[in-house]
Amino acid sequence: LPCQIGDYTDFYTGIHHATAVGKLFRPDQPLLPNYKWVPIGYHGRSSSIRASGVDFRRPQGQFRLAADAPPVFGPSRRLDYELELGAFVAQGNALGEPIAIADAEDHLFGVCLLNDWSARDIQPWEYQPLGPFLSKNFATTISPWVVMPEALAPFRVPFERPAGDPQPLPYLDSAANRAAGAFDITLEVSIQTPRMREAGLPHERLMQSNFRDSYWTIAQLIAHHTVNGCNFGAGDLLGSGTQSGPAPGQGGSLLEL
């Protein structure tokens, strides 16, 4: 790992992912009313974060084989990945002292790639009403390198909300964030199985998306996370949530594809 990670929070900033998954679980209301107003997130498990390339055990848990069947216990049959961007905190803040959005990027150390491994059969049985638990906390992998904000400067783009969508509340809004708070970063997922490697076959690209489609910026995540006085520590990690694109075939997880 590139640093010692104290705390880990996973957000849900990919609106195309949230909409696609919402259609699977809630066809009548894919996006809940709060989504466009508040950055949604949950506290993850920092102890199971590893650098990319490590092996980990297939998780076990409860799941149902049919909607009207009682749960069974066993190893997950629907292991999935999630394409995310990770953001590392540089210096933290004191308990009770929020980080204003104007100062938020002063607390950003850099970004990495993040894979939020997910057990899709365990997840729907456990996530209501408090959210993911065993379906997420068994493994998260990140790139062992960190890209600094200075290296991202050429890829900054304006942060804009679609016409008709609510504008962020004042504590999530600033002139600097509107002018250059988003990042034009292309993200891809490829797969190469052991059998493909043995046969000398190259990896196969499954999808491509762009972080500029994220519904919230990194600065907004930092400001929102601390607005209630929550204290960051150096090395804390924020996950962006799955970054899917708007077009068919741009899902950032197997669940969508």
Side-chain angles (χ1 to χ4, degrees):
L1 291 173
C3 70
Q4 182 175 337
I5 300 170
D7 281 306
Y8 164 52
T9 299
D10 196 27
F11 282 94
Y12 201 41
T13 71
I15 190 169
H16 303 299
H17 171 75
T19 302
V21 172
K23 288 178 179 178
L24 295 175
F25 294 125
R26 299 179 305 275
D28 55 331
Q29 191 181 30
L31 281 185
L32 295 176
N34 61 351
Y35 187 87
K36 294 183 178 181
W37 290 95
V38 58
I40 303 298
Y42 69 93
H43 293 292
R45 185 77 181 172
S46 60
S47 62
S48 54
I49 299 175
R50 296 290 186 271
S52 294
V54 302
D55 292 333
F56 58 86
R57 292 179 181 269
R58 181 176 294 270
Q60 298 191 95
Q62 288 189 30
F63 52 89
R64 294 196 296 182
L65 299 175
D68 57 351
V72 299
F73 176 82
S76 172
R77 305 179 184 187
R78 298 182 60 205
L79 191 62
D80 199 0
Y81 59 80
E82 289 190 336
L83 169 64
E84 303 193 23
L85 205 69
F88 283 103
V89 172
Q91 71 261 21
N93 58 304
L95 182 64
E97 297 184 5
I99 298 173
I101 190 169
D103 304 320
E105 290 202 16
D106 293 338
H107 294 260
L108 173 64
F109 180 73
V111 302
C112 65
L113 286 174
L114 187 149
N115 187 345
D116 180 25
W117 295 96
S118 304
R120 297 301 189 192
D121 39 8
I122 298 173
Q123 185 175 353
W125 178 238
E126 71 172 6
Y127 87 103
Q128 296 190 42
L130 295 181
F133 185 34
L134 299 185
S135 60
K136 298 278 192 175
N137 67 4
F138 60 93
T140 301
T141 51
I142 62 173
S143 57
W145 38 259
V146 179
V147 178
M148 309 302 287
E150 292 81 358
L152 297 173
F155 306 98
R156 286 186 175 274
V157 291
F159 168 71
E160 299 173 331
R161 276 287 163 81
D165 279 14
Q167 294 303 306
L169 294 178
Y171 80 97
L172 294 172
D173 185 36
S174 73
N177 190 67
R178 291 193 301 271
F183 293 98
D184 182 3
I185 300 175
T186 300
L187 302 168
E188 295 182 355
V189 173
S190 296
I191 190 169
Q192 187 186 49
T193 66
R195 185 173 296 179
M196 291 169 68
R197 285 193 292 272
E198 292 170 2
L201 298 175
H203 63 266
E204 191 78 22
R205 192 177 77 181
L206 299 182
M207 60 76 67
Q208 184 182 83
S209 63
N210 196 300
F211 188 60
R212 73 181 302 167
D213 289 327
S214 174
Y215 202 74
W216 300 95
T217 67
I218 294 175
Q220 289 171 323
L221 300 185
I222 293 172
H224 180 70
H225 202 309
T226 63
V227 73
N228 67 342
C230 177
N231 54 318
F232 276 155
D236 284 0
L237 178 64
L238 308 180
S240 68
T242 306
Q243 298 300 305
S244 302
Q250 286 190 301
S253 66
L254 290 175
L255 178 66
E256 298 162 81
L257 296 178

